[in-house]
Amino acid sequence: MKQVLTTCPYCGTGCTFYLNVEDDRIVSVTPNDANSVNQGILCLKGHFGFDFVDNKTRLTNPLIRKNGELVEASWDEAIDLVASKMKETIEQHGPDALAAFSSARCTNEENYLMQKLMRAVVGTNNIDHCARL
Amino acid sequence: MCALNAFVVADPNKCIGCKVCEVACAVVHSDVPVKTVGQMTTPIIPRLYLVKTAEVTMPVQCRHCEDAPCANACPVGAITQRDGIIYVDQEACVGCKTCMLACPFGAMEMVPYYRNGERVKQLRLTEETGEGPVLQDAFVASKCDRCIGVEGGPACVANCPKEALRVVRPDELRRTRNLEAALAVLESVKNVIG
Amino acid sequence: MSGLGTAFGSGAMTNTINELQQMGPNDAIFAIGTNTTECHPIIGIRMLEAHRRGARLIVADPRETELAKHADVYLRHNPGSDVALLNAMMYVILTEGLADEAFIKSRTENFEACRETVLKYSPERVEGITGVPAEKVRQAARLFATAENGATYYTMGITQHTSGVDNVLSVANLAMLTGNLGKPRAGVNPLRGQNNVQGACDMGALPNVYPAYQPVTDPKVREKFEKAWGRKLSDKVGMAISDVLRGIEEGKVRFLYVFGENPMRSDPDVNHVRHCLEKVEFLVVQDIFLTESAAMADVVLPGTTWAEKDGTFSNTERRVQRVRQAVEPRGNARPDWQILRDLIRAMGYPADYSSPEEIFNEIRTVAPSYAGMTYERLEKLGGIHWPCPTEEHPGTPILHVGKFSRGLGRFSAVDWRPPAELPDDEYPLVLTTGRRTAHYHTGTMTRNCWGLDGVAPEEWVEISPEDAADLGIAHGDHVRLTTRRGSVVARAEVTDRVPKGVTFITFHYTESAGNLLTNSALDPVSKTPEYKVCAVRVEKVSA
Ligand code: SF4
Ligand code: SF4
Ligand code: SF4
Ligand code: SF4
């Protein structure tokens, strides 16, 4: 069994725990004790809130709307479509016609890239996330 | 004399009502191995029940009574004493709910019966539906088994973040209380005599 | 952010969670508008443990929460009356000579203006607004002000109001008045609801600041970022979520990228959001499930859960901690940083990051408060509190020691304003929203968990026994809640937890999205929607 130390994805307390992994599946969680906020304890979400990872309804392929329906597409196709739409919108309506909502659930690195995409690449400060909510 | 049955009990002054105990209990008693969590099809079936009202917050579970009313009431003898616990033989249970009526704690619950993740059906009993008779689902009595055979002891106790649950071993309890009382007497005598 | 930023120069939690473990009889905990044991259980547990060791516990909440049950003084104030309540507490502290004069003199400014305003709010005078007996307010104020150290904690119960910024300013006033900043076991501590709200703010996912709160309107700062990123940058403050929605309405915003959020559930006034998402020309949603928002998108990009990628989160106490990949991405889903990197590249901008660590190292070069953190140090120390300017710096668990981030702490004169929507004949009750133990935010994750959905699978609306009797509602009945914006059906939990006149609903469930009902009236400064108060009508439905 592999044990991977990580940080809880739920509330802002930032408890840490080990994900116990067998055959590429998380089987259980062990609270972290040393150097942690939680010191060996966890709440319900931290303890048992991991199986959404293997939920059957997870999105596993990019989807593109064609004739009103969302259909599966390749990564290249999806990324190219988004990029060309972004460029097209910038050309026709200027950078401030684009906006992004970033994610308070995703990592710092991802939030950094999201705002960099909007600021440095698109050229707008229309970036927000739902901290207010 | 045999030892009295141990049981798990909560401290209402400590419990915050987080339900970790309920889910921990359901997980260790799930009839499908935990490895498939995420593909889980069976419902959560805990064996202790959180009471959360304006006055009190704590889970309630079986006391493993010495003269167990549930066992005495069961018409088919499905409830017996084994290895220091009161045990429900779910195969033998006929779902008559007498034990539910008998238990003063509400520790007994009737739950859908699962085997290998599949709903167990009644042998004969059918229900009349629009599409003709269909075999009825089986329901059986279920309650705390003090996690007999579970590594690390009762799952609810092990996982409660507030240490609100503990296993009470009646004989030990008496001895500790005696000791505490004796020490208290010593303390007060000291104060008086100096 | 706005409130604490104004008062102290930083919007973050000033102290740390583990300080609760050192609290005892000389310390006080003041929890206002936070259902801590349900929303931040581990912090709630620490509070209760501190209380058992003798720390004084004061709880102010319209709902009688678990924490309230243990409180030495429980103030059940009317929803939306926080400023009046806090001013009344300060009135007592001022008039009874319990204020920390030395601290006020040496560390703060604008005290006189605050004092003048506060002196209008005697506990007796505001009883009608707060619904709290004056004597209780006096008790609470004395208990807090006479403690050696007093720490205040709050969450959305304080911020999700049209007066949210005022509420926060009042909390800051109280803390400064009692000298409870820049020392252990004290401070003003907003508890963040989501795991990385702090990080998203730190990283500049805000319309007015670059990473580490450097204003986009400051030419010097902009120049620095232009140099770092090699592009000309906009000097215009961007649009907040609510502005974006309005911008779509007005045809100004035509392309929307929604990353890991479900505005169809988390935003107030869902019907309005739906309309906007339908209207925007091109909608991209990056998420792990086909949420209501994703189902409306033109392109859906499958991201990964936290267990399938590396990175860092910054918790509510500014502690940066590692997230580590435990399992492989499912199906063709990709770690979100890779998706964003590839998109940046496809836009013709260089992005060669081969790991989140490389991105983190770039962050360190532009965000001074993160400069001294490395993945190696995070690993070794189990997390570092920012600001951490150099690799030798141990991090900063407690902010504003000796000096506030902005120099002097600033008092504000804050008057109470009524909530935007009050009950009337047609909508006679107050509706307030929140969350439950087993669930989290919009439920995208928790409702897809066996264990979590199993223990709380259905929406319950809390209603007081008095109101229930008036409306002929019994425990477990199906009831319809109607506001000016929409209506939902849920089951009634008749309970003393809510006072007469108040109902409570959560926003975790699609079937009865609480936010169909709530008011999108915003705080004029922070643009936080008023989730916590709106007017509602409740009726029994025959099911
Ligand atoms: S374990 Fe519970 S308290 Fe800790 S971070 Fe996760 S959700 Fe928050
Ligand atoms: S786990 Fe402990 S604190 Fe949580 S509900 Fe059960 S007994 Fe109470
Ligand atoms: S189920 Fe009830 S009656 Fe039976 S042993 Fe347990 S507590 Fe006693
Ligand atoms: S002892 Fe085991 S069976 Fe009994 S309530 Fe606790 S977890 Fe459930």
Side-chain angles (χ1 to χ4, degrees), chain A residues 6-132:
Chain A
T6 195
T7 305
C8 180
Y10 289 102
C11 85
T13 306
C15 301
T16 51
F17 49 68
Y18 292 90
L19 290 175
N20 303 319
V21 178
E22 253 173 56
D23 300 332
D24 202 35
R25 282 189 191 289
I26 306 166
V27 292
S28 59
V29 159
T30 309
N32 181 26
D33 208 339
N35 276 335
S36 66
V37 179
N38 47 307
Q39 306 186 347
I41 59 174
L42 287 175
C43 85
L44 186 65
K45 282 172 281 209
H47 245 302
F48 301 107
F50 55 85
D51 49 326
F52 71 98
V53 172
D54 279 312
N55 190 285
K56 280 181 280 206
T57 61
R58 276 278 304 272
L59 286 167
T60 51
N61 273 301
L63 306 173
I64 290 179
R65 193 169 296 280
K66 287 184 181 153
N67 303 321
E69 292 280 309
L70 282 172
V71 294
E72 288 190 359
S74 74
W75 272 106
D76 286 346
E77 200 186 340
I79 295 275
D80 287 346
L81 177 61
V82 176
S84 67
K85 271 286 164 191
M86 289 179 94
K87 287 183 196 155
E88 190 186 307
T89 314
I90 298 171
E91 267 161 38
Q92 290 178 1
H93 305 284
D96 288 336
L98 290 84
F101 300 164
S102 199
S103 175
R105 295 199 301 241
C106 288
T107 64
N108 289 330
E109 291 76 1
E110 288 157 352
N111 275 287
Y112 176 78
L113 284 193
M114 189 78 228
Q115 61 89 38
K116 190 176 176 187
L117 167 68
M118 295 311 283
R119 293 197 159 110
V121 183
V122 174
T124 179
N125 286 314
N126 289 344
I127 168 95
D128 198 1
H129 73 287
C130 78
R132 303 191 165 86

Side-chain angles (χ1 to χ4, degrees), chain C residues 319-461:
Chain C
R319 176 173 172 148
V320 183
Q321 306 189 107
R322 277 298 314 278
V323 175
R324 292 181 185 83
Q325 181 175 358
V327 294
E328 290 303 315
R330 300 317 194 204
N332 285 322
R334 286 187 182 168
D336 299 85
W337 64 271
Q338 288 179 11
I339 301 173
L340 292 165
R341 175 199 62 191
D342 294 349
L343 183 58
I344 293 176
R345 266 194 209 147
M347 293 289 291
Y349 184 97
D352 310 318
Y353 317 104
S354 61
S355 70
E357 186 169 5
E358 283 178 27
I359 306 171
F360 191 78
N361 286 335
E362 179 175 321
I363 295 168
R364 293 172 53 211
T365 63
V366 294
S369 50
Y370 279 66
M373 301 180 194
T374 61
Y375 269 29
E376 206 189 316
R377 288 193 75 200
L378 293 179
E379 174 94 45
K380 210 165 83 207
L381 301 172
I384 301 176
H385 298 267
W386 64 251
C388 175
T390 65
E391 282 188 40
E392 290 70 46
H393 195 283
T396 313
I398 301 174
L399 291 181
H400 316 304
V401 178
K403 181 169 168 273
F404 282 95
S405 302
R406 70 180 292 278
L408 291 176
R410 186 174 174 81
F411 276 99
S412 303
V414 188
D415 268 305
W416 174 78
R417 286 180 287 130
E421 189 177 278
L422 287 171
D424 53 23
D425 288 347
E426 209 179 331
Y427 303 99
L429 298 178
V430 171
L431 175 72
T432 168
T433 68
R435 64 164 81 155
R436 271 172 210 267
T437 306
H439 285 302
Y440 166 74
H441 204 54
T442 61
T444 310
M445 289 157 29
T446 51
R447 293 217 65 200
N448 287 303
C449 286
W450 172 77
L452 305 188
D453 209 32
V455 286
E458 194 181 12
E459 183 74 278
W460 290 79
V461 170

Side-chain angles (χ1 to χ4, degrees), chain B residues 7-8 21-22 24-26 28-29 46-49 60-62 64 143-148 150 153-157 165 167:
Chain B
F7 58 96
V8 174
C21 50
E22 282 192 355
C25 178
V28 295
H29 291 93
R47 297 175 178 217
L48 74 175
Y49 309 96
V60 175
Q61 66 271 76
C62 172
H64 298 281
K143 70 167 191 67
C144 166
D145 60 3
R146 225 177 58 225
C147 288
I148 286 301
V150 172
C156 53
V157 178
L165 287 160
V167 180

Side-chain angles (χ1 to χ4, degrees), chain C residues 501-515:
Chain C
V502 176
T503 56
F504 169 84
I505 195 170
T506 63
F507 56 100
H508 306 299
Y509 302 90
T510 314
E511 300 90 281
S512 55
N515 289 347

